[in-house]
Amino acid sequence: MLQTEFLFTLPLGYVDTEGNMHKEGVMRLATALDEIAPLKDSRVRSNQGYLLIILLSRVITKLGTLEYINPKVIEGLYAADLAYLQDLYCCINQNGHNRVRTQCPHCEQEFELELSSMGE
């Protein structure tokens, strides 16, 4: 069965306007519409860097106890969390999972590392 949702833990966490910390979340696989629709957004047309903000606000379905994930929430993330989510997005949408194959530098044994645990 195809996994379409992936749990994650942000390295730092999002602090909302009331001072609450939100670290645990869920990201779903992107659809073609998720990648195409933001291109029509005027914020993206005037600044291509904003594409990531819109895209993540579409595919992150849960972040802590927040009811809605919108561009304003993504804008409020720390840079380390934004980079983490961008890497996770790329990994799950290019590979279909959140694991990368790597190798121990000491014993050279190969193993898989799950990206969602990197933020913990």
Side-chain angles (χ1 to χ4, degrees):
M1 187 162 114
L2 177 65
Q3 182 178 356
T4 60
E5 292 189 328
F6 300 85
L7 300 174
F8 64 82
T9 302
L10 294 175
L12 299 175
Y14 171 74
V15 180
D16 66 22
T17 56
E18 297 173 2
N20 300 312
M21 176 70 72
H22 305 274
K23 292 185 79 163
E24 316 255 319
V26 176
M27 182 184 293
R28 66 171 174 75
L29 285 175
T31 64
L33 182 60
D34 290 324
E35 294 205 346
I36 293 168
L39 299 175
K40 296 177 183 177
D41 190 295
S42 62
R43 295 168 291 189
V44 173
R45 281 185 281 172
S46 65
N47 178 358
Q48 281 293 310
Y50 208 77
L51 176 62
L52 178 62
I53 303 297
I54 302 291
L55 195 50
L56 289 176
S57 72
R58 292 178 66 96
V59 298
I60 295 174
T61 59
K62 182 173 172 44
L63 183 57
T65 59
L66 297 175
E67 286 190 40
Y68 302 105
I69 311 302
N70 57 35
K72 187 91 171 146
V73 170
I74 305 302
E75 289 171 349
L77 292 171
Y78 293 109
D81 290 335
L82 185 64
Y84 170 78
L85 290 170
Q86 183 176 16
D87 289 346
L88 180 61
Y89 177 88
C90 289
C91 188
I92 67 174
N93 285 290
Q94 290 173 4
N95 302 326
H97 54 77
N98 60 340
R99 298 177 308 278
V100 292
R101 191 123 187 98
T102 189
Q103 183 178 39
C104 175
H106 303 290
C107 69
E108 298 184 2
Q109 171 108 14
E110 288 192 4
F111 62 97
E112 284 189 349
L113 179 66
E114 190 172 321
L115 287 182
S116 65
S117 63
M118 292 180 76
E120 297 176 334

